[in-house]
Amino acid sequence: MSGPSSAVSSAAPVDDPRALRQLFGHVPSGLVTVAAIGADGPVGVVVSSFTSVSLDPPLVSVNIGRSSSTLPVLRAASRWGLSVLAEDQGPVADRFRLPAAERFRDLDWITDSGGAVHVVGAVATLTTTPVNVIAAGDHDIAILALTDYTHPATAGQPLVFHRSRFHRLDRSSPKEILR
């Protein structure tokens, strides 16, 4: 085991949003759509910030940019559908970069009686109810109670987002990480 290096680190300034985005992009994540039925039909965003929060009670969270025109519509909805995008759903993620009114055009989706919207073909879907929305910088953190979910045994692999690009998990030689 070696000790501290004598090399001096050159820290980047935290007030450079472009550099921060590049830094944050080094952490791979899944892509999840967050969607509900609004007054004019389905609305949704794609996030890379989905995470589990608690098993008891079952809670998850997502972060959504406060400047999102979709966020106020989601906040008014009583149920949100989350869809974990599959490795072949890069085009679906790209659709969510379009203006809000165009995101669901020609997209296969389903809704439940409570207004949660799920993307067909996702590796997992979660139906949630918002518990709390917390302001955090330029984003809101939504804490969501899980009411039900699907995760078919035949589900494929999730789409991975890393360094602003879509990736697939490497299944060619699974390796166990040393503990």
Side-chain angles (χ1 to χ4, degrees), residues 3-170:
S5 171
S6 62
V8 176
S9 167
S10 60
V14 297
D15 61 351
D16 181 352
R18 191 174 157 128
L20 280 176
R21 181 180 298 273
Q22 186 176 17
L23 167 70
F24 295 159
H26 282 276
V27 180
S29 64
L31 290 173
V32 175
T33 62
V34 181
I37 294 292
D40 297 323
V43 297
V45 296
V46 68
V47 300
S48 61
S49 59
F50 168 81
T51 190
S52 59
V53 173
S54 171
L55 293 174
D56 186 18
L59 299 172
V60 298
S61 72
V62 294
N63 302 339
I64 300 173
R66 193 165 301 124
S67 64
S68 167
S69 63
T70 302
L71 183 58
V73 181
L74 286 171
R75 288 186 76 153
S78 62
R79 287 166 61 104
W80 297 6
L82 281 61
S83 301
V84 179
L85 296 180
E87 65 185 355
D88 64 348
Q89 289 186 305
V92 173
D94 283 337
R95 290 197 65 73
F96 280 79
R97 294 178 184 178
L98 297 173
E102 298 175 33
R103 293 177 186 162
F104 286 90
R105 186 177 299 145
D106 301 322
L107 181 67
D108 290 332
W109 57 275
I110 57 173
T111 187
D112 68 5
S113 61
V117 173
H118 296 115
V119 173
V120 172
V123 296
T125 62
L126 301 87
T127 302
T128 65
T129 58
V131 173
N132 197 1
V133 178
I134 304 159
D138 59 0
H139 279 63
D140 281 349
I141 302 170
I143 307 295
L144 308 166
L146 183 61
T147 58
D148 64 56
Y149 69 95
T150 66
H151 181 59
T154 59
Q157 296 291 321
L159 182 63
V160 176
F161 192 64
H162 181 241
R163 293 185 173 179
S164 300
R165 300 208 190 303
F166 303 137
H167 299 273
R168 295 174 186 235
L169 294 175
D170 181 4

